[in-house]
Amino acid sequence: GQNIDQPTEMTATEGAIVQINCTYQTSGFNGLFWYQQHAGEAPTFLSYNVLDGLEEKGRFSSFLSRSKGYSYLLLKELQMKDSASYLCAVRGQNSGYALNFGKGTSLLVTP
Amino acid sequence: GAVVSQHPSRVICKSGTSVKIECRSLDFQATTMFWYRQFPKQSLMLMATSNEGSKATYEQGVEKDKFLINHASLTLSTLTVTSAHPEDSSFYICSARGPIPRPQETQYFGPGTRLLVL
């Protein structure tokens, strides 16, 4: 099975930087994903890590340490529209590409 | 990019009735589709994996006789909630496995269907 933990809620200020952590325990690992989900909408893909290290994509970066079962999503230059839920998801080795999602971190960006 | 649609986007039904939700890949063929369910303030929970031309694989705790999945073509999978009850009220989201073997974009999500059972 897979256990995925991330903080329930976070608040940050517009223009600031915020880091959302995710820890996981899995019997097999074949990639970690971050998705953004606005209320009532489907998740949208943000990032993917399968090797250790940092992946940067514009204002968003994602880091992975497989030995520690740890990832974080870094959001820079926060904007009000970044207020959303951020989901950490792990793909197991034998899951057939299905994803196991964490409960999500609700981020509130304030003026 | 790959687009996935769902229909209906919102449905209200009476307890005991059946509801069918369609998931379509609009511009690519999807041999595998996934059905998720999301309760308020909860994460997405995988219900089943749907493979074209074969029986769906259900996750533990998901009743296959209650949640009927049909994946008859490479662009359409349907989820039928049979004899729906209020506790089935939820946000149902499908995703389709992308056509290009780029692992980071393996799944494309539909916009979701909000089901309310009265």
Side-chain angles (χ1 to χ4, degrees):
Chain A
Q2 296 170 331
N3 293 319
I4 301 173
D5 292 313
Q6 48 182 132
T8 303
E9 295 178 335
M10 298 184 72
T11 302
T13 307
E14 189 176 16
I17 299 173
V18 69
Q19 177 174 312
I20 302 174
N21 296 323
C22 172
T23 59
Y24 64 91
Q25 295 174 313
T26 178
S27 55
F29 179 81
N30 196 16
L32 186 143
F33 297 75
W34 284 95
Y35 284 84
Q36 180 191 63
Q37 185 181 28
H38 286 97
E41 299 180 8
T44 54
F45 170 80
L46 289 179
S47 70
Y48 165 80
N49 295 73
V50 67
L51 299 176
D52 291 349
L54 186 68
E55 294 283 340
E56 297 186 79
K57 186 187 290 186
R59 294 191 299 117
F60 295 77
S61 303
S62 57
F63 172 83
L64 174 68
S65 169
R66 289 172 296 171
S67 62
K68 296 181 179 179
Y70 167 70
S71 173
Y72 68 72
L73 178 69
L74 193 71
L75 293 79
K76 303 176 185 176
E77 302 171 13
L78 281 174
Q79 302 174 8
M80 299 297 287
K81 67 178 182 179
D82 296 330
S83 292
S85 183
Y86 291 85
L87 307 176
C88 174
V90 174
R91 184 172 66 197
Q93 274 188 326
N94 300 312
S95 67
Y97 290 89
L99 297 177
N100 187 25
F101 283 86
K103 291 187 176 181
T105 298
S106 179
L107 173 66
L108 176 64
V109 180
T110 60
Chain B
V3 178
V4 176
S5 70
Q6 272 185 249
H7 178 79
S9 58
R10 189 182 298 264
V11 58
I12 301 173
C13 69
K14 293 182 179 180
S15 184
T17 61
S18 295
V19 175
K20 180 186 284 188
I21 302 171
E22 294 185 347
C23 177
R24 293 181 185 274
S25 56
L26 298 184
D27 52 1
F28 67 99
Q29 294 182 331
T31 56
T32 304
M33 290 184 172
F34 304 93
W35 287 96
Y36 294 87
R37 178 169 54 182
Q38 186 177 34
F39 292 106
K41 298 189 176 182
Q42 298 292 316
S43 190
L44 281 77
M45 296 297 295
L46 179 66
M47 299 176 66
T49 301
S50 170
N51 294 298
E52 187 269 336
S54 64
K55 291 183 178 180
T57 303
Y58 290 82
E59 294 300 299
Q60 193 172 10
V62 178
E63 301 175 54
K64 60 181 181 181
D65 294 330
K66 180 171 181 62
F67 298 98
L68 302 179
I69 292 174
N70 184 284
H71 193 161
S73 78
L74 288 171
T75 59
L76 174 63
S77 175
T78 61
L79 168 68
T80 301
V81 183
T82 62
S83 186
H85 290 284
E87 58 265 30
D88 297 324
S89 299
S90 186
F91 192 47
Y92 292 85
I93 304 176
C94 74
S95 70
R97 183 175 169 184
I100 302 173
R102 290 180 292 177
Q104 69 270 26
E105 296 185 63
T106 297
Q107 290 190 41
Y108 298 90
F109 284 86
T113 296
R114 188 162 300 282
L115 170 64
L116 177 61
V117 184
L118 302 176

